[in-house]
Amino acid sequence: MHYEKLMRDWSGAGRGGGFALACIVCGRAAENDRASRCGHCGGAVDAIHDIGAVSLDPGPSPLRRYFDLLPVRRRKNLFWFGDGNTPCHAAEGFGRRTGLPHLFLKNESTNPTRSTKDRIASVALSRFSELGVGHLVTASTGNSSTAYARGVQLIDGIEMALFCGRGYHHRLNYPDHPTVATHLVDGDGPAVAAAARRFAERTGAVCEGGFFNLARREGLKLAYLEAFDQLPEPPDYVFQAVGSGTGLLGGYKGAVEYRLLGRLPALPRFMAVQQEGCAPMAAAFREGALSIEPRHIVAAPRGPAEAILCGDPAASYPYVRHACRTSGGRILAVGTDEIRAVRDLLEETEGIQVCHSSATALAGAVRMRREGGLPARARVLVNLTGGDRVGWPTPQRFTVVDPRVRGAGAGVRSGARGDEG
Ligand SMILES: Cc1ncc(COP(=O)(O)O)c(C=O)c1O
Ligand SMILES: [Zn+2]
């Protein structure tokens, strides 16, 4: 991965700000503004900002504050849905109980739909709208769809189809709306992604891209930039719960940018945390594997951290591995009991309620400290990426997609509540 070299090449030389789109694997320029993968090698395309021209705006909107580090060309195209500006505070009580005296928590559960994914909605919808995209389709385990649905409902000009496994319906928390279409798929993660792709082919909707949507990574990056600006001293370690690793790679890119800007003295060690019931990246990393092999794939992902149940992260693993390795971090997995205990302790000591995915990241730090892999003096930042949404609505109008039925449109039947049996 070539972030640093690309950024150095693009910076200065009188380019006058802005960003270029380039493949972070082979370094070639992207074929066009909408390309999310390299036409040459298939690598992820990213926005390479002119670091020499970055200035930060002190205003209330994180999108304006970090505009020079966002993949949007004109400020007038920004949509901000009120996300960000989340607290980052010293967790002294929790730290005392776990031997982590310099522990800081970035509490992303205070975002409008209780997860860091609200940042994706703002940045990605700004970018898609600037690119003239009016119809999007995506697949998720609930949090990003909920954030997107809220964003789409707040603006004109973009409609969106949201695909999700039927078992995750309770995690879709938005009311019915004319510009949001909900599709529940009878199947697992790959079946949901395939159904979304087929829908795009049939309707001409643009696939939002998931991990390969650079605006997702740039949106999630903002949690880190804010935290770096809020912390009294730069972190030595950061911990993030990882499903696909989109958030982790965004944070890593932000750290590289901040280091080049002189706002961080060094990269913190990036620690990616999974749960034992679904830890394909941790398994591959432990073996030193360069890619996810069939033996690492988890066919039936399980565990309390539902947002990170991604059994086959083959496409994103090499990027996550690189970010963790080059920063001196690693990918690890923690058990269900550890996740539950940490979640309870956080509520008891800090009064913060988070989801099991957030607790997974924190449990990673606790585990490493206990096992001696984290010195007591280390400054540790944990990204608490979300909280549970209790008592929120779920869409009542949806279609049910049966992936076993082949053919365009086949296997789709209209649903309404009650259709779920
Ligand atoms: C609360 C929460 N934490 C962590 C993640 C992990 O995200 P990623 O797929 O970027 O690794 C997600 C993704 O849905 C999430 O919703
Ligand atoms: Zn390439």
Side-chain angles (χ1 to χ4, degrees):
M1 251 166 35
H2 295 300
Y3 276 133
E4 276 213 45
K5 180 173 180 338
L6 286 165
M7 288 174 198
R8 286 185 196 280
D9 289 353
W10 180 248
S11 283
R15 292 186 206 264
F19 60 88
L21 296 172
C23 170
I24 57 174
V25 176
C26 76
R28 284 180 171 77
E31 289 178 332
N32 58 62
D33 263 7
R34 286 196 190 184
S36 56
R37 298 184 75 158
C38 174
H40 176 73
C41 77
V45 165
D46 221 325
I48 307 302
H49 304 283
D50 182 351
I51 295 292
V54 169
S55 72
L56 304 184
D57 176 333
S61 157
L63 276 79
R64 288 189 173 267
R65 189 176 322 137
Y66 301 108
F67 181 77
D68 289 339
L69 292 168
L70 286 180
V72 179
R73 302 232 180 248
R74 291 165 167 269
R75 279 185 173 76
K76 72 174 179 52
N77 292 330
L78 289 177
F79 293 118
W80 177 45
F81 304 126
D83 42 279
N85 296 320
T86 59
C88 182
H89 65 88
E92 287 169 9
F94 186 93
R96 254 193 309 278
R97 296 276 289 271
T98 53
L100 291 163
H102 308 292
L103 173 66
F104 286 80
L105 304 176
K106 179 68 170 162
N107 186 0
E108 289 286 285
S109 76
T110 63
N111 275 302
T113 69
R114 300 219 66 199
S115 95
T116 195
K117 307 289 174 131
D118 286 311
R119 298 178 184 271
I120 295 178
S122 286
V123 175
L125 292 177
S126 299
R127 173 165 153 82
F128 282 120
S129 159
E130 181 168 82
L131 292 172
V133 174
H135 192 188
L136 282 166
V137 52
T138 196
S140 92
T141 53
N143 281 346
S144 59
S145 289
T146 297
Y148 267 130
R150 173 172 177 271
V152 166
Q153 294 181 17
L154 291 172
I155 60 175
D156 291 327
I158 295 189
E159 55 182 292
M160 196 150 184
L162 303 174
F163 281 71
C164 150
R166 215 169 168 181
Y168 292 83
H169 187 187
H170 64 285
R171 294 179 50 81
L172 297 176
N173 300 128
Y174 49 85
D176 294 320
H177 190 272
T179 56
V180 177
T182 306
H183 301 265
L184 302 180
V185 182
D186 269 326
D188 54 9
V192 177
R197 268 197 310 276
R198 281 198 305 275
F199 176 88
E201 283 159 17
R202 204 168 64 236
T203 61
V206 170
C207 271
E208 178 265 353
F211 172 82
F212 286 96
N213 174 3
L214 66 95
R216 252 189 200 248
R217 302 193 299 271
E218 295 279 77
L220 296 170
K221 171 177 91 177
L222 297 183
Y224 282 86
L225 300 188
E226 279 184 15
F228 297 151
D229 288 340
Q230 289 165 309
L231 288 168
E233 288 183 274
D236 301 311
Y237 290 80
V238 299
F239 285 79
Q240 159 109 17
V242 163
S244 67
T246 311
L248 184 127
L249 191 65
Y252 174 79
K253 178 176 185 257
V256 173
E257 289 168 339
Y258 257 32
R259 196 162 72 91
L260 289 177
L261 278 167
R263 297 179 76 91
L264 280 182
L267 289 186
R269 294 172 194 263
F270 276 80
M271 311 295 300
V273 193
Q274 302 204 289
Q275 60 194 323
E276 279 164 5
C278 183
M281 290 206 199
F285 192 88
R286 208 167 33 239
E287 286 176 17
L290 299 179
S291 56
I292 296 281
E293 304 297 337
R295 67 180 177 281
H296 303 129
I297 293 171
V298 180
R302 263 191 291 279
E306 290 180 307
I308 53 170
L309 288 175
C310 173
D312 181 5
S316 56
Y317 168 73
Y319 301 91
V320 176
R321 176 177 183 274
H322 177 93
C324 293
R325 270 178 58 95
T326 55
S327 65
R330 47 186 265 238
I331 310 178
L332 64 152
V334 293
T336 299
D337 291 349
E338 291 168 270
I339 296 169
R340 292 197 202 285
V342 156
R343 187 165 171 264
D344 290 346
L345 185 62
L346 182 65
E347 186 170 358
E348 182 197 322
T349 54
E350 304 290 333
I352 299 177
Q353 290 180 331
V354 295
C355 68
H356 289 90
S357 298
S358 298
T360 299
L362 189 52
V366 172
R367 153 87 71 97
M368 274 201 48
R369 177 74 192 110
R370 199 178 56 238
E371 290 181 347
L374 197 56
R377 65 173 187 283
R379 294 182 296 253
V380 178
L381 170 67
V382 177
N383 191 2
L384 300 175
T385 43
D388 294 326
R389 290 177 294 270
V390 179
W392 286 47
T394 56
Q396 304 295 297
R397 299 186 60 77
F398 48 83
T399 60
V400 178
V401 182
D402 181 349
R404 290 161 304 188
V405 181
R406 295 196 171 274
V412 178
R413 59 197 166 85
S414 285
R417 189 142 193 98
D419 205 27
E420 280 201 298

